[in-house]
Amino acid sequence: MKVVFDGVVFQFGPTDVTLMWSHVLSTMKTYAAPHVALLDRGGAPHFDGIERIAFPSYKLNTNTASDSLLLERVCKECKADVFVSTLYTTPTTVPSVVAFSDASGFEPSPRQEQERELAINFASHYVCASDRIRDDLEARYPGTRLRSAVPLSRPEKSLQSTAERWDALADCIHQQLAQAHSEGSSPARQAFVREWTRLRAIQAAVEPCRISDL
Amino acid sequence: MPDVLSGLRATLGKALRQAVGCLARFAPESVLRIVNAEVGAEAQRRNAAKVGLLSDGEFVIRFSEVLFQGRGADSDDVERWKELLDEAPARREAFLRDAVTAYLANPPSSVVPQLNDPGRMHILGTSRSFLLQDWQKLKVERGVCARPSRAGRTVPASSFQHTGEFKVSAIASLYKGGKHIEAFLENITAQTIFDRSELIIIDANSPENEAEIIDRYRKIFPNIIYKRINYKIGIYDAWNLGVEMSRGQFITNTNLDDLRKENSFELQASTLERHDFVNIVYQDFFYSMDSRLSFDDVAKIGIKSDLPIITPHNLLLFNSPHNAPMWRRTLHDELGLFDTALRSAGDWEFWLRCISRNKTFYKINEPHVVYFNNPEGISTRPDTKGFEEGLRLRRSYGPKLVSRQLRMSRKEFSELLGSEVDWSRRPSYYDVVHNNLERLGHSFRTHGSHHQSRSL
C-alpha cells in the first residue's frame, strides 16, 4: 500500500500542529508495510524511510480546486492508494483519510471553511484526536462516521501526555488507512469519484483570478 | 445613444470604426437598429439573430475591447460584469452607452502607462510591494555587505570535463553586458550539472567586446557556445537562434544580471524528469537591488515572490514563469518558437500559447534564482513596450483563456452541472459548484450513492 501525505501544514511554519504531524509521520515506519511519500510544499522536515516529493506551495484563499486537480495527478503518477492531508487538501479520486486535531492555532478563511467541508465530503475515513473534537464535528456534519483516536479501552482522561495522545492518533490513522484502501475500488465509489472529478474540474474552470486574493 | 453614434460616425478613425463594428455585431436590438440603418437589411437580420444568443459572459468577452478600454477582459471582469448585467438584456444598453462614451473620451491610444518607480518593486504573486529603503534596511539588519566586483579575475584552472550528455541548454542573449559577463559566466559554469549542460550565448552585436572574456572561459568549458550576429537583433530572435542551436533535452533562459543557486539547473531538470506530465517548471525567486551581491547574500535579505499554481486565468493577468523557467525542448516542435514581433512580452506570449494548448506548469517552491531589479533594463524602464504588448496579449488570449464554463448563461451552467440552481441570490459559479460537491459528498456518505437532489 502506498500512502501519500500532503505536508501542507509545514509550509506555514512550526506550530503545535506541525509537531503533532512530525510525531505521526516519524512513527509511520514502525507500522508494517505502507510505503509513505510526503508532499513537501515548503518547510517539511526529513523523516527516515519517507520519500519526499516537492509540490507547489498552497494558497489559502485561491486556486484550491486547481490544487486538488494537481494533487490528483501527482498521486496517480506515484500510484498512491490512500491520501492523508495535514490540512483540508484533497485529490479527486484517491481514497482519503482526514485527521482533525485539537491544536489548531489556525483561523480558517471562508475559502478554508469551504475546503474543510469538501475534505469531509470527499474523505472515506475520519480520525479525531479527541472525543470532544469528534462530538463537535458530528453535531456539525451529522451522518459522518467520525472516529475518535481515543481507544475505547482507555478513557480520554487516562491519556496523560501529549506523546500518548499523538501515538493514539497515529495508531488510529494507520488503521483507517487500511480500511480506506480496501474500500477504494467499490463500484459505488468509482461512480462517486468520477462525478466528483468532473465537478472539481468545472470549479477550477470557473474560479476567477483576483489579485486581492493572492 | 444616437448622439453617441453620430459622433462616432463623424470622427471615424480606425479604432472608432472598430468600435462601431463591435456594436453592430453584439449590441442589443435598440442599438442595432441605429447602426443597421447603414449596413442593410441582410446584416440586420444576421446581427439581430446573434444578439439573442449571447450569454452575458460571451457578451463581455466579445465586447471587451470597448468595455475595458482596449485591454481585453479577464476572468474577474467576466464574473463582475455577469453580476451587474444579471441576465437582463435591457441592462446591456445602459452599460454600452457608458462604455462607448468612456471609450470616446479616453480611447486606448490615450491611456498612458503609469511610470515605473525604479525604487519600488511589486512582489509577484502578491498585492504587496517593497521600496528601495526597505531593501537597504533589511540589508543592514541582516549584516549583508557588497563584495568587490569579480570582473577581471583570472578563470581558475580546472579539470572540467564535459560528460557528452546534454540535459540542459541555457540560452543567453548578450548586448551591452560587459558589466555583468564575468560574474554571469562564473555563476553558470558553477552549476552542479554544468558537465551535462551547455551555455549558448547569442551576441546581438554588442559593442562592449565581451567575447574576450567569454573566450577565456571557453578554453576551459568547451560547452560554452558563442555566436555573434553582426547586426542588432531582438531578444526573442536571439532566443530562437539559441533554441535552434540547442542540443539539450530541456531549455532555460539566463539573464546576464540574474543569479542562480548552484543547484538551480539540477533542481529544475530533476523535476521535469520526475514528472512526465509537466512541460514547464518555474519557481519563486529572490529580489535584488544590488548586482554585486552573491546568491547567499540576497537569500539572507529574503524578499521573494509568492507565485500561485498557474491557471489560464492567472497567467492572463501576470507572467508567473517570467524569471528563469525551464521547459522541454519538444514544446517548440509542437508550438513553434518565440514571437519575434514582440520586444518585451515574447516569453509571456509563449507561455500563454502553452497553456492555451493545455500544457502543464509546475512550481518549484525553493527560490533558487535571483531577479535583479535593474532600472536601466528594458523591462523596467517607464517607456517600455511591455505595457502595450501586455494589452495586446490580453486582448488576443482573453477569448481563448477565459473558460467557456465561466461565460455560460445560468441555464447552460445548470444544465452542465445536471442540477437546478436557485439563482435568486446571484451566487458565483464557483459557489454553485461547491454546493453541488457538498451535496454529492453528503449523498454518498449517507446513502452510499451519488444521487443528487435536483434542486438547491
Side-chain angles (χ1 to χ4, degrees):
Chain A
M1 176 170 58
K2 180 152 189 180
V3 184
V4 170
F5 278 80
D6 184 350
V8 56
V9 79
F10 296 108
Q11 179 192 324
F12 303 105
T15 60
D16 286 354
V17 182
T18 56
L19 284 175
M20 180 195 81
W21 279 108
S22 292
H23 183 86
V24 169
L25 283 159
S26 62
T27 58
M28 277 294 133
K29 67 172 186 287
T30 62
Y31 296 99
H35 176 179
V36 178
L38 175 64
L39 302 183
D40 179 9
R41 295 183 183 251
H46 280 275
F47 298 99
D48 283 349
I50 290 185
E51 176 192 2
R52 288 160 67 89
I53 300 173
F55 193 86
S57 54
Y58 187 65
K59 296 253 185 186
L60 292 167
N61 298 318
T62 189
N63 294 333
T64 45
S66 300
D67 186 271
S68 185
L69 299 176
L70 192 59
L71 274 176
E72 175 68 18
R73 290 186 87 163
V74 170
C75 283
K76 283 288 175 207
E77 190 177 55
C78 64
K79 298 185 169 52
D81 296 302
V82 190
F83 176 87
V84 185
S85 179
T86 56
L87 195 61
Y88 308 126
T89 54
T90 51
T92 64
T93 71
V94 181
S96 169
V97 174
V98 182
F100 299 96
S101 68
D102 241 338
S104 68
F106 177 77
E107 193 59 41
S109 62
R111 174 59 69 85
Q112 281 306 298
E113 296 272 11
Q114 285 188 323
E115 289 302 303
R116 180 168 59 192
E117 284 164 4
L118 293 186
I120 286 174
N121 281 300
F122 177 75
S124 28
H125 290 271
Y126 313 86
V127 181
C128 301
S130 70
D131 293 345
R132 188 187 58 75
I133 295 174
R134 182 198 53 200
D135 296 344
D136 284 354
L137 286 166
E138 261 173 1
R140 206 160 162 177
Y141 303 101
T144 308
R145 290 168 298 166
L146 296 161
R147 174 162 176 191
S148 171
V150 179
L152 287 174
S153 57
R154 295 187 62 182
E156 189 171 0
K157 60 185 178 193
S158 73
L159 297 179
Q160 293 299 325
S161 71
T162 304
E164 267 187 313
R165 285 201 300 275
W166 290 349
D167 280 339
L169 183 67
D171 269 344
C172 201
I173 288 175
H174 187 255
Q175 288 160 18
Q176 299 293 296
L177 289 175
Q179 286 196 29
H181 182 210
S182 66
E183 293 166 16
S185 56
S186 73
R189 185 171 162 81
Q190 291 303 311
F192 162 70
V193 296
R194 263 199 307 278
E195 181 61 3
W196 185 276
T197 304
R198 188 182 81 88
L199 290 175
R200 209 55 165 143
I202 294 172
Q203 197 179 32
V206 296
E207 180 177 10
C209 176
R210 297 188 181 93
I211 296 287
S212 56
D213 290 335
L214 293 172
Chain B
M1 200 60 164
D3 289 345
V4 172
L5 287 167
S6 56
L8 280 172
R9 290 187 197 108
T11 52
L12 277 176
K14 191 182 168 200
L16 298 183
R17 256 188 235 116
Q18 284 171 349
V20 174
C22 207
L23 278 169
R25 287 201 303 275
F26 305 114
E29 276 180 86
S30 53
V31 179
L32 284 173
R33 273 199 301 279
I34 302 159
V35 177
N36 284 343
E38 288 193 350
V39 295
E42 178 55 31
Q44 273 188 47
R45 276 193 295 277
R46 221 171 32 239
N47 293 334
K50 281 180 185 172
V51 169
L53 296 175
L54 290 178
S55 64
D56 281 348
E58 203 62 50
F59 172 80
V60 173
I61 288 285
R62 302 276 184 98
F63 232 135
S64 59
E65 188 168 351
V66 176
L67 293 174
F68 305 108
Q69 301 291 292
R71 73 165 162 79
D74 57 49
S75 59
D76 194 25
D77 296 324
V78 172
E79 183 84 338
R80 279 187 290 112
W81 277 69
K82 278 195 315 192
E83 200 180 329
L84 293 170
L85 294 168
D86 199 22
E87 300 206 340
R91 292 191 180 195
R92 290 187 186 177
E93 184 169 339
F95 280 106
L96 277 170
R97 188 185 303 118
D98 292 348
V100 172
T101 307
Y103 190 94
L104 287 170
N106 295 299
S109 56
S110 71
V111 178
V112 180
Q114 223 178 359
L115 293 187
N116 284 326
D117 171 0
R120 175 188 290 275
M121 274 306 290
H122 168 238
I123 300 177
L124 204 62
T126 75
S127 46
R128 291 174 284 129
S129 57
F130 69 94
L131 300 169
L132 181 58
Q133 298 92 289
D134 301 328
W135 160 267
Q136 284 164 338
K137 194 174 158 208
L138 280 169
K139 203 168 124 181
V140 173
E141 275 173 14
R142 293 174 191 181
V144 172
C145 310
R147 299 189 180 151
S149 164
R150 288 167 291 185
R153 278 174 49 180
T154 312
V155 182
S158 163
S159 57
F160 179 80
Q161 269 206 320
H162 195 266
T163 58
E165 179 194 1
F166 290 95
K167 191 152 294 286
V168 174
S169 294
I171 294 168
S173 158
L174 169 65
Y175 187 75
K176 290 190 178 175
K179 186 177 163 193
H180 302 290
I181 188 71
E182 182 135 21
F184 168 75
L185 289 167
E186 276 194 33
N187 185 243
I188 297 296
T189 56
Q191 286 294 306
T192 52
I193 59 165
F194 195 61
D195 61 352
R196 282 169 281 159
S197 305
E198 63 179 346
L199 171 63
I200 301 171
I201 301 173
I202 307 294
D203 181 341
N205 206 21
S206 176
E208 296 184 354
N209 196 29
E210 296 89 342
E212 201 176 285
I213 295 169
I214 295 169
D215 278 344
R216 274 199 282 125
Y217 279 81
R218 288 179 68 206
K219 283 179 187 149
I220 296 167
F221 303 102
N223 51 337
I224 296 178
I225 316 298
Y226 171 74
K227 185 174 177 69
R228 183 174 170 86
I229 307 296
N230 289 322
Y231 49 91
K232 179 86 191 292
I233 58 171
I235 184 170
Y236 301 112
D237 289 296
W239 285 16
N240 285 345
L241 260 175
V243 170
E244 283 165 355
M245 291 165 66
S246 66
R247 291 167 285 184
Q249 193 183 348
F250 310 129
I251 296 179
T252 184
N253 61 301
T254 49
N255 294 331
L256 259 66
D257 48 7
D258 292 344
L259 273 176
R260 285 178 181 250
K261 196 174 170 182
E262 282 185 352
N263 64 350
S264 170
F265 287 5
E266 190 178 352
L267 263 175
Q268 293 180 310
S270 63
T271 306
L272 285 167
E273 281 177 326
R274 168 151 205 153
H275 303 295
D276 284 342
F277 69 86
V278 174
N279 304 101
I280 303 118
V281 290
Y282 63 106
Q283 60 280 321
D284 277 326
F285 53 87
F286 289 116
Y287 287 93
S288 171
M289 285 192 160
D290 184 343
S291 67
R292 298 165 303 166
L293 298 184
S294 69
F295 181 91
D296 290 342
D297 286 339
V298 177
K300 239 190 248 177
I301 293 168
I303 299 178
K304 69 178 183 72
S305 62
D306 187 10
L307 298 173
I309 287 178
I310 287 179
T311 67
H313 290 169
N314 64 36
L315 190 58
L316 193 58
L317 285 187
F318 57 95
N319 183 10
S320 285
H322 88 99
N323 192 231
M326 187 178 279
W327 62 98
R328 295 184 194 277
R329 191 188 187 286
T330 49
L331 276 181
H332 293 293
D333 300 333
E334 191 184 338
L335 303 177
L337 295 167
F338 294 97
D339 183 349
T340 54
L342 297 165
R343 274 183 59 200
S344 163
D347 55 330
W348 190 12
E349 189 282 332
F350 186 68
W351 312 132
L352 289 166
R353 212 185 314 160
C354 286
I355 207 157
S356 66
R357 298 283 293 275
N358 297 319
K359 301 302 172 200
T360 304
F361 293 77
Y362 197 85
K363 181 186 163 187
I364 297 171
N365 296 317
E366 183 180 339
H368 52 83
V369 184
V370 168
Y371 173 74
F372 172 51
N373 176 38
N374 176 8
E376 292 163 13
I378 189 167
S379 62
T380 55
R381 274 168 48 171
D383 60 347
T384 180
K385 290 279 285 181
F387 180 79
E388 180 203 317
E389 290 180 357
L391 292 183
R392 206 192 309 167
L393 293 188
R394 287 180 64 169
R395 278 200 303 272
S396 61
Y397 279 96
K400 293 175 192 152
L401 295 180
V402 175
S403 72
R404 70 181 174 85
Q405 294 93 336
L406 196 64
R407 301 187 215 179
M408 284 177 173
S409 67
R410 291 167 180 167
K411 182 169 177 288
E412 288 171 313
F413 196 62
S414 302
E415 284 168 4
L416 175 73
L417 297 179
S419 66
E420 288 168 17
V421 179
D422 175 5
W423 294 103
S424 62
R425 278 181 289 176
R426 300 188 188 120
S428 70
Y429 283 18
Y430 186 94
D431 287 344
V432 168
V433 185
H434 174 81
N435 292 339
N436 275 42
L437 281 161
E438 258 205 288
R439 284 187 295 121
L440 173 69
H442 184 260
S443 169
F444 184 68
R445 273 188 298 119
T446 50
H447 308 301
S449 70
H450 72 281
H451 298 300
Q452 286 197 54
S453 154
R454 300 287 294 178
S455 63
L456 276 175

